[in-house]
Amino acid sequence: MKVNAHPDDGQPVIVVEGLVNTFGEHAVHDGLDLTVRRGEILGVVGGSGTGKSVLMRSIIGLQRPSAGRIDVLGRCITESDLEQGIGVRRRWGILFQGGALFSTLTVGENVEVPIKKYYPDLDPEFRAEIARYKVMLTGLPEDAVQKFPSELSGGMKKRAGLARALALDPELLFLDEPTAGLDPIGAAKFDRLTRELKETLGLTVFLITHDLDTLYEICDRVAVIAEKKIIAIGTIPELIATGHPWIEEYFNGPRGRSAQATHMRGDSA
Amino acid sequence: MQSAAQYLLEDAGEGGQRLVLSGHLTLAAIGPLERALRTLETSVTAIDLAEVEEIDTVGAWVVLRVAREHDSAITGASPEAERLFAALRDIDAEGDTHPHRLPMWERVPLAVGEKVFGARGGVYGVVAFFGQILIAAASLLRRPRRFPFKALIHQMELVGVTALPIIGLMSFLIGIVIAQQGSVQLEQFGAEALTVNLVGRITLRELGVLMTAIMVAGRSGSAFAAQLGTMKLTEEIDAMRTIGISPVEVLVIPRILAATFMMILLGFFAALMAIIGGAVVGQFALGIPFFTFLLRIQEVVPTHDLWVGLIKAPVFGLIVALAGCFHGMQVHGNSEEVGRRTTMAVVSAIFAVIVLDAFFALFFTEIGWG
């Protein structure tokens, strides 16, 4: 017996080859290659405007690249029309930066939307039950299920967005700056939640972040975008060992140091 | 294709039964099984998962629910399934996902009451808004150097100059329609020549200004509400206040003045375009030469018709701008509110303009400008 039929075999889940994204004259990506392995949490970092979000949007098919090939879960995204549905979409979940909850629906109804779309034959009561436990699985209180997004705080919106991303029990989870705008306690809790869910549900996580604590605490590998490419990918010590000036500054700056120190303390305790 | 989730009941002794689950306990495959388990009559003392091929949180949830209802033991679960059980064990998901809804007999009085109190708040808001405008106007009069001339010119361009093509075309067509339809009716009395009176008087007195006011409400009133509403949402207006800039002075006053002034010009322009439209019909359909039509206008339209239009125009412009700015400044909360307030700004402006127009009509007739 297995969970979700995907052991941590290190098989590639996302393969990006030679990705080129240009907006007018301006190239955001030029020959970008990236591989995400099954069962890992991959953090993606880079300066503002280096195309982290554009990379994610390309992988999930919202942005058609100018050139290159992207395979997700063994299907080629770049050659198929997402609107027609290629079966991949029910196998991934996406948490957008602001949560992107449907504002006219309650949190519970938000979680029901993907279930209703892909499994319309399920009993409405059962669907509601699934939505409720998913919401509570992300650590929201029970009464949040019947609330509208406008009644929630920023952190609760992110959790609700995560519940919707997990609605179909995906294998692959995309998180776009999940801890941005959260207080340190909320951010740490969200990190822990991501890690727990990854371990319980056997997820592969593609995570864009600026949060150094998140990188140290939960990421198995980190990919650095700069100069229109992935300039380095690996564990944080491996990245620092490359000696690239930007990576050096990123991880050995004052914030990087303090995050590292916290991480060390956490390990020894 | 995945094999569906299946179940089998075995006798486990002591009147209890063992539930043996097999196949894929996943969201995609569990629908029929869930329905069957919901209506399970017999008591289940044990659940065996040894033959399950795949399980996700939905499968784990269903298993846990049966276990909870029948107080049965779970056997044969893989470590992965155990992890899912551990994560889900403490969650109680009984209930509904829809918003709370009161019964009808409570909801209706509540809605009525809220409307009444809302109306009180609305009146208060309007009075407060007028007060703010008066204060801002007074302080600008005392310190004229602070007057936002640049913003005023910019708004005049947006409200007035850029509206010229659409208002010109609209009025021209209205002039054509009035002349053409009017001549058909007047012909029955042999009074086609009076088409000139009809077009000249109705456009200068009524239609020129009224249609322009409606167009300006749709173009600029809505823009005012949406701009100010968005600025409130993005906290731009709060930022201004903290710096010590009065948002009413720099945002509201220029818009109100621009709309008031430009309405006079636009209303007059609209009337002229409508008369030209009428003259074109005269030339081609009625046999009245173009310039004769224009000369006849001078003779048959009393000057006070022009004044009626010119007096109404700034009032309508003021109302449209006030409605737009008021609703824009009332926005708070979320982006949905911007849309709602923009709609309210346009609807209330057009309604107020038409009601006032009726009063003006009675008033001017009463003072002998009929």
Side-chain angles (χ1 to χ4, degrees):
Chain A
M1 189 166 95
K2 48 201 171 159
V3 174
N4 273 353
H6 53 81
D8 296 359
D9 50 10
Q11 286 293 307
V13 175
I14 304 173
V15 181
V16 181
E17 279 170 2
L19 179 69
V20 180
N21 268 310
T22 45
F23 295 102
E25 297 278 290
H26 175 67
V28 179
H29 301 132
D30 192 4
L32 183 147
D33 300 318
L34 174 70
T35 305
V36 183
R37 299 178 196 147
R38 192 176 291 278
E40 74 173 345
I41 299 186
L42 178 80
V44 176
V45 300
S48 296
T50 50
K52 300 184 294 292
S53 291
V54 177
L55 174 61
M56 186 178 115
R57 291 174 63 85
S58 304
I59 296 174
I60 60 185
L62 289 175
Q63 157 87 34
R64 197 166 276 276
S66 316
R69 181 187 166 90
I70 301 172
D71 289 319
V72 180
L73 297 163
R75 305 278 190 104
C76 182
I77 295 290
T78 34
E79 277 168 19
S80 47
D81 185 5
L82 259 196
E83 284 306 310
Q84 297 192 346
I86 46 173
V88 170
R89 273 187 302 173
R90 68 171 78 178
R91 292 165 67 193
W92 72 39
I94 296 147
L95 170 63
F96 288 96
Q97 235 184 78
L101 294 164
F102 305 124
S103 56
T104 52
L105 303 178
T106 62
V107 170
E109 289 168 337
N110 260 285
V111 180
E112 282 188 59
V113 169
I115 306 177
K116 209 172 186 168
K117 156 88 183 153
Y118 287 106
Y119 305 105
D121 299 335
L122 286 187
D123 289 336
E125 302 96 59
F126 184 45
R127 199 168 58 216
E129 214 176 290
I130 297 177
R132 288 182 71 90
Y133 88 71
K134 298 265 173 175
V135 171
M136 283 180 249
L137 195 62
T138 59
L140 285 171
E142 193 181 351
D143 62 347
V145 178
Q146 282 167 279
K147 280 187 179 161
F148 286 98
S150 56
E151 300 171 87
L152 301 181
S153 70
M156 290 168 92
K157 269 184 209 164
K158 295 227 163 154
R159 282 171 189 264
L162 184 62
R164 191 180 65 187
L166 293 173
L168 298 174
D169 269 82
E171 299 162 42
L172 177 57
L173 189 62
F174 292 90
L175 306 176
D176 190 357
E177 302 208 17
T179 54
L182 300 188
D183 64 83
I185 300 172
K189 278 189 188 156
F190 203 96
D191 283 347
R192 217 172 304 136
L193 175 68
T194 312
R195 183 96 224 171
E196 274 170 22
L197 288 172
K198 180 242 161 187
E199 268 155 24
T200 340
L201 311 178
L203 299 166
T204 307
V205 182
F206 179 98
L207 184 149
I208 294 175
T209 191
H210 275 305
D211 191 332
L212 285 152
D213 291 313
T214 308
L215 293 175
Y216 274 106
E217 291 302 323
I218 68 170
C219 291
D220 298 310
R221 290 197 305 159
V222 175
V224 182
I225 302 193
E227 299 150 20
K228 300 170 187 174
K229 290 183 171 63
I230 302 283
I231 54 165
I233 183 164
T235 61
I236 295 174
E238 285 169 14
L239 290 182
I240 295 173
T242 61
H244 188 281
W246 191 85
I247 300 176
E248 185 80 2
E249 203 180 337
Y250 193 86
F251 289 103
N252 285 339
R255 283 159 174 270
R257 276 182 197 287
S258 74
Q260 193 178 2
T262 319
H263 179 61
M264 300 302 237
R265 267 206 306 282
D267 279 354
S268 57
Chain B
M1 194 58 217
Q2 291 186 334
S3 61
Q6 282 162 348
Y7 78 104
L8 206 75
L9 285 168
E10 289 174 357
D11 192 23
E14 294 165 18
Q17 298 215 288
R18 188 208 314 276
L19 180 69
V20 181
L21 297 172
S22 59
H24 294 268
L25 296 189
T26 58
L27 179 57
I30 206 165
L33 176 73
E34 191 271 334
R35 223 163 288 147
L37 290 182
R38 198 181 277 272
T39 51
L40 210 58
E41 295 282 319
T42 52
S43 99
V44 175
T45 51
I47 304 173
D48 184 27
L49 299 180
E51 284 170 51
V52 171
E53 289 171 48
E54 190 185 352
I55 188 165
D56 67 2
T57 65
V58 180
W61 174 258
V62 172
V63 171
L64 270 182
R65 197 182 61 197
V66 176
R68 203 178 295 158
E69 276 167 17
H70 296 268
D71 199 20
S72 43
I74 301 169
T75 57
S78 66
E80 289 88 349
E82 289 292 356
R83 270 214 299 261
L84 294 179
F85 291 144
L88 295 172
R89 188 152 281 145
D90 301 327
I91 295 174
D92 177 18
E94 289 290 307
D96 198 8
T97 55
H98 303 296
H100 286 291
R101 225 166 161 214
L102 291 170
M104 174 105 106
W105 56 272
E106 273 183 51
R107 206 166 61 224
V108 172
L110 198 69
V112 173
E114 270 172 4
K115 275 263 184 285
V116 172
F117 274 88
R120 192 187 67 169
V123 170
Y124 177 80
V126 170
V127 173
F129 185 64
F130 279 129
Q132 284 178 335
I133 291 175
L134 288 181
I135 291 170
S139 90
L140 282 178
L141 280 180
R142 261 186 287 131
R143 281 179 292 266
R145 281 177 56 192
R146 254 183 24 203
F147 189 84
F149 278 108
K150 251 188 166 165
L152 176 64
I153 301 297
H154 180 63
Q155 288 300 330
M156 283 170 113
E157 185 188 340
L158 287 182
V159 176
V161 180
T162 58
L164 286 176
I166 183 70
I167 286 178
L169 179 64
M170 174 188 75
S171 305
F172 181 76
L173 294 176
I174 286 174
I176 287 178
V177 172
I178 292 171
Q180 196 270 330
Q181 294 293 310
S183 70
V184 170
Q185 297 303 317
L186 291 169
E187 204 177 13
Q188 297 174 10
F189 309 103
E192 285 154 79
L194 288 179
T195 307
V196 181
N197 306 38
L198 178 72
V199 171
R201 299 205 61 181
I202 203 168
T203 53
L204 279 167
R205 266 185 94 93
E206 287 294 333
L207 280 185
V209 181
L210 192 63
M211 296 304 289
T212 306
I214 290 172
M215 188 56 99
V216 170
R219 266 188 101 250
S220 302
S222 60
F224 292 171
Q227 285 163 355
L228 297 183
T230 312
M231 290 173 87
K232 274 211 87 171
L233 281 191
T234 54
E235 296 180 316
E236 272 179 71
I237 288 180
D238 292 335
M240 278 182 191
R241 284 211 178 95
T242 55
I243 297 172
I245 301 169
S246 155
V248 179
E249 273 179 38
V250 298
L251 297 176
V252 176
I253 299 268
R255 283 177 169 77
I256 287 176
L257 289 180
T260 309
F261 286 139
M262 296 319 280
M263 255 307 290
I264 304 174
L265 302 182
L266 284 176
F268 184 63
F269 171 72
L272 290 190
M273 289 305 288
I275 288 169
I276 291 173
V280 167
V281 173
Q283 168 89 42
F284 293 106
L286 307 178
I288 308 172
F290 189 81
F291 288 104
T292 316
F293 192 100
L294 296 188
L295 284 174
R296 286 284 297 156
I297 291 273
Q298 220 175 4
E299 290 162 24
V300 300
V301 178
T303 328
H304 65 237
D305 276 6
L306 174 68
W307 291 120
V308 168
L310 291 185
I311 290 170
K312 287 197 292 191
V315 179
F316 290 175
L318 180 69
I319 286 172
V320 168
L322 281 176
C325 292
F326 170 72
H327 284 291
M329 297 295 275
Q330 296 297 305
V331 167
H332 57 85
N334 51 27
S335 50
E336 214 173 311
E337 180 88 343
V338 177
R340 206 173 63 84
R341 284 289 176 179
T342 306
T343 311
M344 280 169 78
V346 176
V347 171
S348 59
I350 292 176
F351 179 73
V353 161
I354 288 174
V355 169
L356 255 180
D357 192 52
F359 279 109
F360 271 126
L362 291 176
F363 173 77
F364 286 125
T365 314
E366 207 59 32
I367 65 168
W369 280 8

